[in-house]
Amino acid sequence: MVIALFCVSLAALSGVVPASASAGTGNHGPGGVFPPLKRDLVVYYDFDHPASSGAVERDQGKSRTNLDMINGAPRVRDRFGRALQTGQVSNVLSNDDWKAGVYSTTGVPSLHAFNAAREATVMGWFKLTGVNPSPNTQTANPDDKFGAMGLAGVLTGDSDGHAVRALLEVFIVNGEMRVVALGRRVDGSASQTFAANMPWQEVLPQNEWVFLAATFNFDTGEMALYRNGKPLEGFYATAGDPWQLAGDPEPDLTTANNPRGIKIGGSFPQNTQERNPCNCRMDELMFYDRVVTAKEVWRQYQWARR
């Protein structure tokens, strides 16, 4: 009876697919890290390594930055293991969204690899499982939708839980929702966005596992996006020099402080507010302090599908 009631409650959530629902289609295989990439892997969550409480996921990367599963965000069986289910739980003003993250106002020491970083990469497997984007619970208009769906990113060193140093997400660029890589080199300054040309619904079809990667070179200003191991064509949303790369000193690095954390499936990992939930599943989330090359992204994709 308890299990049945739980499943009924789960099914009632706004846009969230129950854990018992179909795993859907896609190319997500056994997963794992392509061996040559392991030595550079700073943070890695495969959602098969819960801490004793179950509300914390153990980092399998070298940073050992354990992840909080917020508001009971569950691990669900999907394909060859478990994945994280995120999503909007209620479509009224509340603070109960399923998401994950870590946050400290003084910075997270274990994320020191992203302190004064020259490069970064964020990548993982994602599957949309509900209606996206979600209703905006921060406005009085019931027809309002959030302007983004948060996937995964590293926060800045002065972040309120929303501002990021390196982020993979879906949000509005020039009036259209797009899959983007968003980076900020200097805390408190302008960000740059590299947006995919392909419509976001084609990048992330419903109920299909997709491997996405975003790379950031804070010295040259280059960014890139990949889908299922192949580069996505796109454009830079901000003209000029938003990262302030011109002039000395060289090389150009991110602000020299520890990030305040990581956010997954929505903003504010300290759980003080809701913004940009993603009704989706995520797995094999990887964070590197260097640019993973196009060849390496392809090999990681192939390795996970073996």
Side-chain angles (χ1 to χ4, degrees):
M1 181 178 295
V2 171
I3 293 173
L5 287 172
F6 176 75
C7 291
V8 170
S9 298
L10 202 59
L13 297 176
S14 174
V16 177
V17 174
S20 59
S22 169
T25 60
N27 298 316
H28 183 205
V33 183
F34 180 54
L37 290 176
K38 286 184 178 181
R39 67 178 182 179
D40 298 319
L41 185 56
V42 179
V43 179
Y44 173 42
Y45 304 118
D46 63 5
F47 302 102
D48 289 317
H49 293 85
S52 56
S53 69
V56 173
E57 176 67 19
R58 296 187 187 277
D59 176 15
Q60 301 303 298
K62 60 185 179 183
S63 84
R64 298 303 187 219
T65 305
N66 290 342
L67 186 74
D68 294 326
M69 313 281 278
I70 301 167
N71 293 321
R75 299 172 183 82
V76 297
R77 290 193 176 278
D78 201 330
R79 304 294 288 183
F80 292 93
R82 290 180 175 85
L84 168 68
Q85 176 77 60
T86 64
Q88 186 175 73
V89 175
S90 55
N91 59 7
V92 297
L93 183 61
S94 56
N95 196 32
D96 54 6
D97 283 354
W98 284 349
K99 54 189 176 182
V102 58
Y103 186 82
S104 170
T105 56
T106 58
V108 179
S110 60
L111 295 177
H112 185 77
F114 301 105
N115 178 327
R118 190 170 182 170
E119 301 174 348
T121 297
V122 179
M123 59 187 181
W125 289 86
F126 304 91
K127 182 174 77 169
L128 302 187
T129 58
V131 177
N132 289 287
S134 295
N136 188 341
T137 57
Q138 306 301 305
T139 71
N141 186 346
D143 296 325
D144 280 352
K145 302 284 188 182
F146 280 110
M149 299 133 57
L151 297 179
V154 178
L155 301 179
T156 60
D158 63 351
S159 180
D160 60 352
H162 182 66
V164 290
R165 192 162 284 173
L167 174 70
L168 182 58
E169 81 169 352
V170 184
F171 81 92
I172 296 174
V173 179
N174 298 338
E176 294 185 34
M177 292 282 283
R178 296 184 183 274
V179 174
V180 305
L182 186 150
R184 179 177 285 102
R185 188 180 76 83
V186 179
D187 287 4
S189 295
S191 64
Q192 177 63 286
T193 298
F194 183 77
N197 290 334
M198 181 184 291
W200 73 269
Q201 299 96 331
E202 295 180 24
V203 178
L204 288 166
Q206 194 75 6
N207 291 318
E208 181 177 323
W209 279 109
V210 176
F211 181 64
L212 295 179
T215 64
F216 308 82
N217 188 319
F218 297 108
D219 186 30
T220 67
E222 291 182 83
M223 304 163 72
L225 285 168
Y226 299 85
R227 179 187 187 274
N228 288 345
K230 298 180 180 179
L232 283 170
E233 294 184 354
F235 61 93
Y236 292 94
T238 303
D241 186 18
W243 283 358
Q244 305 172 38
L245 301 179
D248 292 330
E250 296 291 344
D252 295 293
L253 309 174
T254 63
T255 300
N257 55 26
N258 292 329
R260 286 192 173 180
I262 287 173
K263 65 176 184 178
I264 294 170
S267 292
F268 303 102
Q270 70 272 46
N271 204 27
T272 56
Q273 186 179 337
E274 296 178 343
R275 192 179 302 176
N276 303 336
C278 183
N279 296 308
C280 54
R281 292 181 183 178
M282 307 184 189
D283 203 4
E284 302 286 327
L285 300 182
M286 305 178 191
F287 300 79
Y288 292 86
D289 62 344
R290 70 170 178 86
V291 168
V292 176
T293 67
K295 183 179 290 186
E296 289 171 329
V297 171
W298 173 250
R299 287 178 174 172
Q300 173 58 52
Y301 171 66
Q302 292 292 336
W303 179 264
R305 296 175 65 235
R306 69 193 188 282

